[in-house]
């Protein structure tokens, strides 16, 4: 059973900055809610309340919503109209595709003087003789019934024949009540038999298939069971998708602890290996929201998560993580990560022995897996501080 919780209401009130005390419109459709509760205490300023496509069986706990103008309870399990007398501002009431057989229950709406639109399409009561004339005569304040305009002449004619039509309606709904009681017993018996057959099957998929293949009647009990099995199906799909994601999660480290190089998202990148820092340029999608990007800089590797897909690169030299910076271009969307090296002074001499001091790595075809040596390094020009002792290099 799904309940109306404060967390759910706040989630649905994002357009009002998640404030529920001043909320004027609330949509809780398709949530498998079975009971109306709390709303009249939390959201007393509501003018529009949408509760269609749920499993609500009774109209209740709404009498404090004095400002409510539009109530939508279409596609629920409601069997009678009730508890709406104190909704003074109610203008439109939608009860499409419910199970209302007690048509005389609409008489509780006589005091709702502002009510102008009533929709009962798809309810059993719509098949009763003189249905439209009875509703029109009972609720003369209506301007529209089942999305059809009610003319003044129709109202006057319905008033004249109201008593005779009501007698017919009462007899028809009494017959409906008898049929409904028989239906409840029949549906309960079939459900017991089906559950006994399903209990003999071990495979869950086969049990679910047996339910969907079984014949059923159109009634509140069946609609509730259908919602239950729809929920099971959704949970099963979510579990399977989660398992697939867990299965696809790549190994991030070798058995020895060395970080792997990964590029799940297949993003273009360029790495500059300067003498004092690494600079990584990552080709993030231009219109991707920055909230979808996560960066983790560790002493010997950097990891970037883009919409859950990982890019990871390891380094041979340690990084000074406290001074690393991450920036994103507002024009191209590219991510620029600057990572200063930890032991810069110690590496100057070692670097000077190499033929070049710039090594660039790129994901392009021309530069993939290769390095470019650019120029030579003069140790005297680098270490021009008098306090630094520069040892002689041995050829």
């Amino acid at each position: 059973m799904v309940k109306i919780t404060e967390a759910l209401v706040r989630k649905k009130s994002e357009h009002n900055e998640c404030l529920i005390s001043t909320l004027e419109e609330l949509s809780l459709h398709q949530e498998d809610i079975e009971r109306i509760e709390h709303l009249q205490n939390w959201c007393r300023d509501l003018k529009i309340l949408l509760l269609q496509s749920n499993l609500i069986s009774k109209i209740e706990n709404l009498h404090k919503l004095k400002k409510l103008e539009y109530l939508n309870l279409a596609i629920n399990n409601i069997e009678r109209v009730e508890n709406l007398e104190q909704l003074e501002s109610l203008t439109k009431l939608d009860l499409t595709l419910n199970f209302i057989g007690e048509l005389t229950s609409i008489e509780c709406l006589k005091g709702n003087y502002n009510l102008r639109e009533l929709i009962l399409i798809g309810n059993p009561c719509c098949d009763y003789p003189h249905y439209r004339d009875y509703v029109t005569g009972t609720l003369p304040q209506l301007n529209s019934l089942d999305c059809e305009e009610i003319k003044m002449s129709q109202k006057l004619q319905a008033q004249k024949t109201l008593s005779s039509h009501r007698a017919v309606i009462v007899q028809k709904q009494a017959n409906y009540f008898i049929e409904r009681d028989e239906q409840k017993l029949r549906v309960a018996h079939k459900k017991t038999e089906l559950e006994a057959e399903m209990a003999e099957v071990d495979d869950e998929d086969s049990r679910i298939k047996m339910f969907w293949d079984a014949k059923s009647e159109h009634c509140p009990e069946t609609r509730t069971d259908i919602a239950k099995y729809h929920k099971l199906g959704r949970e099963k799909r979510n579990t399977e998708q989660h398992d697939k994601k867990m299965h696809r999660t790549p190994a991030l480290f070798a058995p020895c602890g060395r970080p792997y190089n990964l590029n799940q998202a297949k993003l273009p990148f360029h790495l500059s290996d300067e003498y004092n820092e690494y600079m990584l340029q990552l080709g993030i999608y231009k219109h991707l929201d920055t909230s979808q990007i996560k960066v983790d800089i560790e002493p010997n590797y950097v990891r970037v998560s883009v919409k859950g897909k990982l890019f990871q690169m390891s380094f041979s030299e340690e990084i000074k993580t406290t001074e690393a910076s991450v920036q994103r271009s507002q024009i191209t969307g590219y991510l620029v990560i600057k990572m200063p090296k930890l032991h810069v002074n110690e590496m100057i001499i070692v670097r000077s022995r190499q033929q070049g001091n710039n090594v660039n790595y790129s994901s392009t075809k021309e530069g993939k897996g290769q390095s470019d040596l650019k120029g030579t390094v003069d140790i005297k020009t680098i270490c021009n501080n008098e306090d630094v002792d520069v040892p002689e290099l041995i050829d």
Side-chain angles (χ1 to χ4, degrees):
M1 177 178 178
V2 177
K3 295 184 178 181
I4 297 177
T5 62
E6 183 178 347
L8 176 61
V9 175
R10 289 193 185 278
K11 178 183 177 182
K12 297 295 183 177
S13 59
E14 294 177 350
H15 61 283
N16 197 48
E17 298 181 352
C18 295
L19 298 176
I20 62 176
S21 60
T22 59
L23 198 62
E24 294 186 355
E25 180 177 347
L26 178 62
S27 178
L28 295 174
H29 64 284
Q30 295 181 330
E31 296 288 343
D32 289 341
I33 296 168
E34 296 187 28
R35 187 183 178 193
I36 305 173
E37 53 187 350
H38 304 309
L39 295 179
Q40 65 174 355
N41 297 320
W42 295 344
C43 316
R44 293 200 178 186
D45 291 337
L46 277 180
K47 293 183 178 180
I48 300 175
L49 178 57
L50 308 178
L51 291 167
Q52 67 268 31
S53 300
N54 284 295
L55 301 172
I56 299 168
S57 59
K58 184 178 181 180
I59 305 174
E60 58 184 343
N61 298 324
L62 294 173
H63 60 275
K64 295 181 182 179
L65 301 179
K66 302 298 184 180
K67 299 180 181 180
L68 190 65
E69 299 175 2
Y70 175 32
L71 176 61
N72 191 331
L73 286 165
I75 318 178
N76 277 282
N77 291 339
I78 297 168
E79 298 192 60
R80 71 188 308 268
V81 183
E82 57 187 336
N83 301 323
L84 296 173
E85 298 89 341
Q86 299 185 44
L87 301 186
E88 303 168 357
S89 303
L90 189 63
T91 303
K92 182 177 180 180
L93 176 60
D94 191 346
L95 293 167
T96 303
L97 288 174
N98 278 276
F99 297 93
I100 299 173
E102 188 179 346
L103 184 56
T104 55
S105 64
I106 66 165
E107 294 177 1
C108 72
L109 298 173
K110 287 182 178 180
N112 298 89
Y113 297 111
N114 291 312
L115 187 63
R116 297 293 179 266
E117 297 181 60
L118 176 62
I119 306 174
L120 293 169
I121 297 172
N123 285 276
C125 62
C126 296
D127 297 330
Y128 295 167
H130 315 299
Y131 150 75
R132 189 173 180 85
D133 289 339
Y134 169 73
V135 176
T136 303
T138 303
L139 304 174
Q141 71 269 35
L142 291 179
N143 292 333
S144 173
L145 175 61
D146 296 342
C147 303
E148 291 184 19
E149 181 184 359
I150 302 175
K151 299 180 180 179
M152 183 57 67
S153 60
Q154 293 174 332
K155 292 183 181 181
L156 295 174
Q157 182 64 30
Q159 287 287 340
K160 294 178 182 179
T161 59
L162 179 59
S163 58
S164 60
H165 288 167
R166 188 180 190 281
V168 176
I169 294 294
V170 169
Q171 182 59 47
K172 284 294 181 181
Q173 71 182 21
N175 295 336
Y176 172 79
F177 292 152
I178 295 173
E179 294 175 1
R180 177 75 180 109
D181 290 338
E182 293 175 351
Q183 185 186 54
K184 289 179 181 179
L185 295 173
R186 193 166 55 249
V187 170
H189 180 66
K190 287 184 178 179
K191 182 178 180 180
T192 303
E193 290 182 345
L194 180 60
E195 289 178 348
E197 293 177 8
M198 293 169 64
E200 298 176 357
V201 180
D202 296 330
D203 184 45
E204 183 180 0
D205 292 336
S206 300
R207 290 197 299 270
I208 294 175
K209 187 177 185 302
M210 287 178 65
F211 171 80
W212 292 115
D213 291 343
K215 293 183 179 180
S216 60
E217 299 186 43
H218 182 58
C219 61
E221 294 78 16
T222 300
R223 183 175 282 177
T224 301
D225 289 339
I226 289 173
K228 173 185 174 182
Y229 279 90
H230 269 307
K231 183 178 180 180
L232 288 174
R234 289 195 300 269
E235 291 175 351
K236 188 173 183 298
R237 286 193 297 272
N238 292 338
T239 302
E240 290 175 352
Q241 291 175 0
H242 177 71
D243 292 342
K244 287 181 180 178
K245 289 181 180 179
M246 292 295 292
H247 181 70
R248 291 177 181 175
T249 302
L252 302 178
F253 301 93
C256 63
R258 178 180 58 83
Y260 284 130
N261 291 327
L262 300 172
N263 191 357
Q264 274 188 311
K266 299 181 180 179
L267 300 172
F269 68 92
H270 181 81
L271 177 67
S272 296
D273 185 356
E274 306 291 343
Y275 82 93
N276 62 336
E277 71 173 2
Y278 292 110
M279 185 173 71
L280 175 64
Q281 300 180 52
L282 198 58
I284 304 295
Y285 316 117
K286 181 177 179 180
H287 300 290
L288 180 67
D289 193 285
T290 305
S291 63
Q292 300 290 326
I293 305 170
K294 296 180 180 179
V295 180
D296 181 19
I297 302 174
E298 299 295 336
N300 60 338
Y301 71 89
V302 61
R303 182 187 301 153
V304 182
S305 174
V306 182
K307 293 184 69 175
K309 294 186 177 181
L310 299 179
F311 176 93
Q312 181 170 288
M313 179 171 285
S314 62
F315 304 109
S316 57
E317 301 176 38
E318 287 192 48
I319 298 169
K320 193 182 296 183
T321 58
T322 55
E323 297 183 10
S325 65
V326 182
Q327 295 178 325
R328 191 179 182 195
S329 171
Q330 295 181 350
I331 299 175
T332 64
Y334 271 45
L335 201 68
V336 179
I337 306 174
K338 295 181 179 181
M339 298 161 282
K341 296 179 181 179
L342 184 61
H343 306 292
V344 175
N345 292 335
E346 297 176 6
M347 295 303 298
I348 290 176
I349 299 174
V350 177
R351 286 279 177 170
S352 66
R353 295 181 178 180
Q354 300 178 352
Q355 292 183 350
N357 69 326
N358 251 353
V359 184
N360 295 316
Y361 300 93
S362 174
S363 63
T364 58
K365 292 183 179 179
E366 293 79 3
K368 190 172 184 179
Q370 298 179 358
S371 62
D372 299 325
L373 303 179
K374 298 181 180 180
T376 58
V377 178
D378 185 354
I379 191 69
K380 295 180 180 180
T381 60
I382 294 178
C383 301
N384 53 7
N385 194 327
E386 296 179 357
D387 296 332
V388 178
D389 296 330
V390 181
E392 295 182 2
L393 299 180
I394 302 175
D395 295 334

